[in-house]
Amino acid sequence: MTETIAFVFGAALAVTAWLSVLRTVFVPRSRSSVLMRTVVGGTWRAGSVLARRLPRAAGERVLELCAPLALYLAAACWFAATLAGFALTAPVLAGVPLTWSGLTGFLLLRDVNLLAVAAWLSALLVLASFVLHLYRVTAAYSRRELVVARMSMRAAMATEAEQVLAEHLRLGSRDHLDRLFAQWTGWLADILATHTGYPALTVYRPATETCWLDAAVLVLDAAALTESVAPDWAPPSTRSVLMAGAECFPVLARQVGVRLPRPVVSLEGREERDFDQTLKVAVDAGLPQEFGEQEAWPVFQHWRTRYAPYAVAMGQRLRYRAADPSAWLNS
């Protein structure tokens, strides 16, 4: 009876481990496996608690380790569950004694049998799948940060949307601005697909001083400003990038536990910028003015409330914006 229970439990453990591997690595779609989400979330929460009790520099180092540590913990769970599952089926399938020495001897191949060989082949396939997953995660991280780094170098870093818009208007044409918005439309689509499918990416720290959330909001603000002031002149990709941002950030915010009602007005990051001055900078740089401040402001806010509050809340949740050590310690 005991061997039968062990067999059922072991078979379920091995199958569950492989279903988790398949879900995480090969069919993540818009959501990863329960194991990966649990490990990433638990590692991040533990790291955050520890980081609060450390000086900012040390706390940042702890948070930098959370994502890679979570990935390796998940791999260890898959590997251990696969071997343990096969070992628990061995008393029924291979006549191995249901004792500690019997099961360890089975795993150490003291008496070589086909089931033991299958167990290690399965474990090696799990490790190979993890290597593939690690490659995909690091490749997605590189794509995320490369676009932000290029923007930082080009803009020297423009810290306001009107500066980003003015720079592209002065250096190029409407088509030049359209290429910028088209590039970021693809970038946002990639962010949504990879960060929901591979949740560890969300807690990976920015590789440059410019946070990827801040960079995205700058470009989206520039698109919202273009759409609100000159909708007929706006490049074809303007509305596409705005729709991509409005779809991406609420989903990612929910993934990290941020749930916000959509506000009527969004001033996050723009509290000290008057809209009339923003409008003047853009128009002086060459943006055709089809609508004045009174008509453009509601359109600008219609778009901005759909992405900016979520991006800012994510940055706070993930501790990207704790520049002040006291804020770091007291957050």
Side-chain angles (χ1 to χ4, degrees), residues 286-318:
L287 180 67
Q289 185 172 3
E290 299 171 12
F291 292 113
E293 178 186 353
Q294 297 299 321
E295 297 86 1
W297 174 252
V299 178
F300 180 75
Q301 285 299 321
H302 165 77
W303 287 110
R304 195 171 202 271
T305 54
R306 299 173 66 180
Y307 58 82
Y310 304 99
V312 171
M314 281 181 63
Q316 294 170 348
R317 176 81 169 184
L318 298 171

Side-chain angles (χ1 to χ4, degrees), residues 2-324:
T2 304
E3 292 181 350
T4 302
I5 295 174
F7 172 80
V8 173
F9 181 76
L13 190 61
V15 169
T16 301
W18 263 107
L19 287 176
S20 178
V21 171
L22 293 174
R23 176 69 174 171
T24 302
V25 181
F26 299 104
V27 284
R29 294 187 180 178
S30 61
R31 204 174 190 189
S32 187
S33 66
V34 173
L35 173 66
M36 184 60 74
R37 298 199 309 270
T38 302
V39 171
V40 170
T43 305
W44 171 253
R45 284 190 289 272
S48 297
V49 171
L50 178 59
R52 289 195 196 102
R53 289 159 172 75
L54 296 173
R56 182 174 182 266
E60 182 64 24
R61 293 191 191 98
V62 169
L63 295 179
E64 286 174 352
L65 294 175
C66 286
L69 179 60
L71 290 173
Y72 280 98
L73 284 176
C77 290
W78 290 333
F79 185 77
T82 301
L83 288 179
F86 273 89
L88 289 173
T89 63
V92 171
L93 298 180
V96 175
L98 188 58
T99 62
W100 178 257
S101 60
L103 297 181
T104 54
F106 168 80
L107 290 177
L108 293 175
L109 300 176
R110 288 173 185 165
D111 297 316
V112 179
N113 59 64
L114 290 178
L115 185 63
V117 173
W120 280 104
L121 286 176
S122 180
L124 290 176
L125 284 174
V126 165
L127 291 181
S129 299
F130 171 69
V131 171
L132 175 61
H133 181 67
L134 194 61
Y135 168 78
R136 289 175 175 175
V137 169
T138 53
Y141 177 73
S142 298
R143 291 195 303 272
R144 184 185 86 182
E145 297 299 324
L146 181 60
V147 173
V148 176
R150 286 173 177 168
M151 177 182 176
S152 301
M153 294 174 65
R154 279 184 54 83
M157 173 60 196
T159 57
E160 299 179 5
E162 52 270 34
Q163 293 175 356
V164 174
L165 182 59
E167 183 210 10
H168 283 80
L169 288 172
R170 292 190 186 106
L171 295 180
S173 62
R174 177 174 178 267
D175 292 338
H176 185 71
L177 189 62
D178 188 53
R179 285 193 294 271
L180 172 72
F181 292 157
Q183 178 190 33
W184 281 81
T185 301
W187 182 87
L188 286 164
D190 185 57
I191 289 292
L192 179 60
T194 56
H195 286 54
T196 52
Y198 307 135
L201 279 170
T202 308
V203 300
Y204 261 106
R205 313 302 286 171
T208 64
E209 294 183 1
T210 305
C211 172
W212 58 282
L213 295 170
D214 294 337
V217 169
L218 279 177
V219 174
L220 288 167
D221 279 352
L225 184 60
T226 303
E227 181 69 17
S228 62
V229 175
D232 293 335
W233 177 89
S237 297
T238 305
R239 187 171 287 264
S240 297
V241 73
L242 289 170
M243 291 297 294
E247 181 183 2
C248 177
F249 288 117
V251 172
L252 295 185
R254 287 194 298 272
Q255 182 171 288
V256 298
V258 173
R259 287 173 172 79
L260 299 174
R262 182 179 169 184
V264 178
V265 175
S266 170
L267 296 176
E268 294 87 354
R270 299 189 61 85
E271 293 87 350
E272 299 179 1
R273 301 177 181 89
D274 292 333
F275 189 69
D276 59 342
Q277 291 300 316
T278 295
L279 193 62
K280 184 177 185 302
V281 171
V283 172
D284 289 347
L287 180 67
Q289 185 172 3
E290 299 171 12
F291 292 113
E293 178 186 353
Q294 297 299 321
E295 297 86 1
W297 174 252
V299 178
F300 180 75
Q301 285 299 321
H302 165 77
W303 287 110
R304 195 171 202 271
T305 54
R306 299 173 66 180
Y307 58 82
Y310 304 99
V312 171
M314 281 181 63
Q316 294 170 348
R317 176 81 169 184
L318 298 171
R319 303 186 184 282
Y320 289 159
R321 297 184 173 84
D324 178 12

